[in-house]
Amino acid sequence: YSNYFSGRLWSGNDWWQETNDVILFTDTETDLLRAEAQVMLNQGLAAANTLNNSTAGTGTTTIGFTLYSETNNIVADATLSGGYNFTGTETKAQQQFALMREYAVEVAGLGGAGTNWAFMRRHDLLQEGTMTMFPVPGTQLEILGIDIYTFGGVENAGTAGTASGANSWTALAAKAGLAKARPAGDNTFTPNNAKIDASSINTLSAKGAKSN
């Protein structure tokens, strides 16, 4: 979704034009939060109705002004989602996946950062090694005389502050019947220690991943 996000919110390198507003919160996110609460309360039919009236169904995101990218034909339509129909017979996993898609496609970048991460954290969907909270800044720890620590990293998976990945979004996709889950601990497409070197690039290429 990153290419779409960049195109949609690109504003000629000048967001502070008179035609642009600063987005704090959207009605789209309000709809998704309502549907999410209904899913968590096992109110499948109510969640379906809310989703059908949200961007998932209608495909309309209202922010009160027309984005620069749409006005200047950088993107044909500033709303990418929509066209889905929910009946209330979906499984909880299917409705959760629908919500995650909307957070990733429609809400990302509109009214704050980290909305998709926060959604996945609330539902224990973060991949193995993803941090679940922010550590105290190192400068403050030094002032207080407390040892430096951090969160995140596959080597810390399952410990306080770091997701285990046991119920990651890939596992949710499998539960929803949309994809096969990648087992926790399988980092086939991750270069060793995130360092790009000749051997890791060759490994990635052999696995079918693209290297630039």
Side-chain angles (χ1 to χ4, degrees):
Y1 305 117
S2 59
N3 291 336
Y4 169 71
F5 162 84
S6 298
R8 177 171 66 164
L9 293 183
W10 191 74
S11 189
N13 295 324
D14 180 15
W15 187 261
W16 303 105
Q17 302 174 51
E18 291 184 2
T19 55
N20 292 339
D21 290 336
V22 176
I23 306 168
L24 298 179
F25 206 85
T26 63
D27 58 352
T28 296
E29 189 171 353
T30 301
D31 290 337
L32 297 180
L33 286 169
R34 182 181 296 110
E36 182 181 346
Q38 291 164 337
V39 169
M40 295 173 76
L41 291 171
N42 296 315
Q43 298 175 359
L45 182 58
N49 289 332
T50 303
L51 284 168
N52 284 332
N53 290 308
S54 74
T55 56
T58 65
T60 302
T61 295
T62 303
I63 57 176
F65 68 102
T66 303
L67 288 169
Y68 176 97
S69 58
E70 194 170 359
T71 301
N72 292 274
N73 298 316
I74 296 167
V75 296
D77 187 348
T79 299
L80 184 64
S81 192
Y84 297 94
N85 182 59
F86 302 89
T87 64
T89 60
E90 299 83 17
T91 65
K92 184 175 183 178
Q94 288 171 332
Q95 290 190 338
Q96 282 179 312
F97 197 90
L99 283 164
M100 187 178 70
R101 180 184 58 239
E102 297 307 309
Y103 273 103
V105 174
E106 284 301 326
V107 176
L110 295 179
T115 49
N116 198 34
W117 172 84
F119 171 81
M120 290 191 287
R121 185 185 188 278
R122 291 195 294 272
H123 293 266
D124 188 27
L125 300 175
L126 294 170
Q127 295 191 81
E128 181 186 23
T130 305
M131 67 177 187
T132 61
M133 62 183 82
F134 292 94
V136 174
T139 52
Q140 295 184 27
L141 293 175
E142 290 176 349
I143 292 172
L144 296 171
I146 301 175
D147 291 339
I148 300 293
Y149 70 95
T150 190
F151 297 125
V154 174
E155 66 278 8
N156 296 320
T159 62
T162 306
S164 69
N167 189 42
S168 69
W169 69 268
T170 55
L172 176 68
K175 291 179 183 178
L178 300 173
K180 293 182 178 179
R182 186 176 71 172
D186 178 3
N187 297 300
T188 305
F189 296 103
T190 302
N192 294 333
N193 298 320
K195 295 178 180 178
I196 298 295
D197 54 32
S199 60
S200 63
I201 290 176
N202 290 335
T203 300
L204 288 170
S205 299
K207 296 294 184 181
K210 294 181 179 179
S211 58
N212 296 318

